[in-house]
Amino acid sequence: METPKSLRLHIGIFGRTNVGKSFLTNYISGQNTSIVSEVAGTTTDSVYKSMELSPIGPITLIDTAGIDDVSILSEKRIERTNKVFDSADVAAIVLEPNKWTDYEEKIIDALNNKNTPFFLLINNYKKIKLSEDFEKIISKYDFIETELLNNKDYRENFINKLKQNLIKIIPDEILNQKPLTEGIISKFQTVVMVVPIDLGAPKGRLILPQVQMIRAVLDENAIAIVVKDTELKKCLDNLKNKPDIVICDSQVVKKVLDIIPEDVMFTTFSIIFSANRADFKTMLSGIDAIKNLKPESKILIAEACSHHASKDDIGRVKIPKMLSKYLGFNVRFDVSAGMDYPKDLKQYSLIIHCGGCMINKKQMISRLNYAVENNVPITNYGMVISFVNGTLERTSKMYNT
């Protein structure tokens, strides 16, 4: 299976219009991923290209629109570029030789505000002599000067320089990502994963959080058992010993809890992702906001991916129904999908976010921090479902000690 985008190092490529960002993306990837033109503003939206960059591993290059765009679509383009600041783990700022403006300063300020390490890349294909003033400015930062020649040996040398600069600035928590199993699963333990197959399940495959969890268990050298909720009891009856932990899809949490022994550790895929990819305590405290909801309250259902919703979609259908039943009245729900995380969060009484398996940790943390900055409680699909089913204390126990 291809490494999901959420587990790849995200490299944002920023700069003014027409400085060579798209050419650089194509040059690194060796493919014509982005349209290249001398016409300023050719890149109308952020372009994502995934590839392998040994020894760093899987990466995603993000070619952004110029931050100084003044075209008729400039507001939308710059808005898309600004969203990339939330997801870029590291960044390259592409420059023209001898040109340093307020726009470069704005990019650096934005990256510093997000604690995103970066380096400069001077696209000097015209071989212009760098001025003393320009050299003095860029000397404050890590930088590469290149002509990006269409030559195999030259490109190989450039890629090696690029990797050296990346390795120097990649945060340790990105290079050594915390495994999903950390603190809950040990070597040789038996892990039963309960995976319901309903209308929301993709045909012929499992959803990404389930696949990632299976792989994480195997990487831990533990024993992975995958079963549907309808066969769980039979599975447990056939085991010689009780499993060490049971992990289930949030939608069947109540059903599973009625089957498994009381002394077996138990949680959900969604709660594991919340602990691994966000701040668990912040997400857990967001549950308290449910008790203060009123009929006029608005809730944001935040999805990290874009998908065609089925008639029993977990975020758009099941959670609103569960909450309305729990509260005894209806509240208002908005849905944001993919990159479309709203600017105006203050209108919401609560944000309920998915597990975030389709976005990287940097973006998930950025979303959480943005909610906190706006004093809007934020929580997680799995926590909400466990709460309304009266099982949250049990499913969160392993993290809430």
Side-chain angles (χ1 to χ4, degrees):
M1 184 185 78
E2 182 184 0
T3 303
K5 209 160 47 169
S6 60
L7 298 181
R8 293 175 175 269
L9 175 75
H10 283 51
I11 305 171
I13 299 176
F14 300 95
R16 288 176 287 103
T17 54
N18 223 31
V19 294
K21 298 185 298 298
S22 296
F23 186 85
L24 173 66
T25 303
N26 293 343
Y27 194 76
I28 295 171
S29 66
Q31 300 177 26
N32 291 326
T33 303
S34 301
I35 298 173
V36 177
S37 169
E38 293 183 1
V39 177
T42 301
T43 301
T44 58
D45 199 353
S46 301
V47 177
Y48 292 73
K49 173 60 187 173
S50 294
M51 61 178 289
E52 294 285 329
L53 194 63
S54 177
I56 294 170
I59 67 167
T60 294
L61 300 169
I62 314 173
D63 176 20
T64 64
I67 203 163
D68 61 331
D69 191 353
V70 292
S71 68
I72 194 169
L73 294 175
S74 60
E75 186 176 341
K76 289 291 184 184
R77 288 171 173 168
I78 292 173
E79 183 181 330
R80 291 291 185 178
T81 295
N82 286 336
K83 287 181 181 293
V84 178
F85 287 117
D86 289 335
S87 58
D89 296 309
V90 296
I93 304 174
V94 185
L95 308 172
E96 293 177 87
N98 299 334
K99 193 161 186 178
W100 187 273
T101 71
D102 288 343
Y103 292 107
E104 280 75 24
E105 296 287 354
K106 287 178 180 178
I107 294 170
I108 289 174
D109 285 344
L111 292 171
N112 285 337
N113 285 337
K114 297 294 182 181
N115 295 315
T116 306
F118 64 89
F119 64 91
L120 310 179
L121 195 147
I122 298 95
N123 183 11
N124 197 0
Y125 66 96
K126 292 182 180 179
K127 301 181 182 180
I128 297 171
K129 179 176 173 55
L130 301 185
S131 68
E132 288 185 13
D133 287 344
F134 185 73
E135 286 188 329
K136 186 176 180 181
I137 292 171
I138 65 173
S139 66
K140 304 172 189 174
Y141 310 101
D142 291 325
F143 70 89
I144 303 174
E145 183 183 359
T146 180
E147 299 172 30
L148 299 179
L149 296 179
N150 188 21
N151 174 287
K152 182 179 179 182
D153 291 337
Y154 187 93
R155 178 179 177 274
E156 187 68 24
N157 185 52
F158 167 78
I159 294 294
N160 286 332
K161 287 183 181 178
L162 175 74
K163 290 190 285 191
Q164 289 169 14
N165 275 265
L166 286 172
I167 290 170
K168 193 189 304 184
I169 66 172
I170 297 172
D172 184 63
E173 64 267 23
I174 302 298
L175 276 178
N176 303 295
Q177 292 191 40
K178 184 172 73 171
L180 288 169
T181 55
E182 183 172 272
I184 60 170
I185 296 170
S186 304
K187 187 176 182 179
F188 300 140
Q189 285 190 325
T190 300
V191 183
V192 174
M193 286 167 275
V194 186
V195 178
I197 305 297
D198 57 13
L199 290 174
K203 188 175 181 180
R205 59 188 175 88
L206 300 177
I207 61 174
L208 187 57
Q210 296 162 357
V211 173
Q212 289 182 331
M213 196 66 224
I214 293 169
R215 177 58 194 263
V217 171
L218 296 176
D219 286 342
E220 195 63 54
N221 296 318
I223 301 161
I225 299 173
V226 184
V227 64
K228 293 190 294 184
D229 53 305
T230 48
E231 282 70 53
L232 174 60
K233 188 176 186 311
K234 182 68 174 175
C235 169
L236 296 180
D237 289 344
N238 286 345
L239 290 177
K240 181 179 178 181
N241 300 308
K242 289 183 291 188
D244 295 285
I245 181 172
V246 173
I247 305 166
C248 77
D249 187 281
S250 298
Q251 300 178 67
V252 293
V253 65
K254 187 70 169 65
K255 182 178 180 179
V256 171
L257 197 57
D258 289 340
I259 296 172
I260 64 174
E262 290 185 6
D263 58 345
V264 170
M265 193 158 60
F266 173 55
T267 192
T268 71
F269 293 105
S270 186
I271 288 176
I272 287 175
F273 270 79
S274 179
N276 181 261
R277 306 176 65 74
D279 183 84
F280 183 81
K281 290 184 178 179
T282 299
M283 287 288 200
L284 189 62
S285 65
I287 286 292
D288 291 337
I290 294 176
K291 303 166 188 175
N292 301 319
L293 293 175
K294 299 175 176 59
E296 63 271 18
S297 298
K298 285 179 69 176
I299 295 176
L300 176 66
I301 301 292
E303 300 172 342
C305 64
S306 299
H307 64 277
H308 177 69
S310 64
K311 66 180 182 181
D312 63 348
D313 186 83
I314 182 65
R316 302 179 189 221
V317 179
K318 288 187 175 180
I319 287 178
K321 281 184 177 179
M322 289 178 187
L323 270 180
S324 297
K325 183 179 179 181
Y326 174 83
L327 294 168
F329 55 82
N330 294 326
V331 292
R332 299 166 61 190
F333 290 91
D334 286 346
V335 177
S336 68
M339 294 288 286
D340 295 328
Y341 197 59
K343 282 184 178 178
D344 179 18
L345 292 183
K346 291 183 179 179
Q347 61 181 304
Y348 298 108
S349 300
L350 176 65
I351 300 168
I352 304 175
H353 207 292
C354 69
C357 68
M358 292 300 291
I359 56 178
N360 66 342
K361 185 170 183 176
K362 177 73 176 287
Q363 191 170 2
M364 188 68 235
I365 291 292
S366 293
R367 290 184 172 199
L368 185 146
N369 287 342
Y370 189 46
V372 171
E373 288 165 10
N374 283 275
N375 296 313
V376 180
I378 182 169
T379 190
N380 165 276
Y381 279 19
M383 291 180 180
V384 170
I385 294 171
S386 287
F387 175 77
V388 298
N389 279 290
T391 62
L392 183 58
E393 184 177 355
R394 176 83 181 271
T395 53
S396 64
K397 184 177 181 180
M398 67 186 68
Y399 294 113
N400 197 29
T401 55

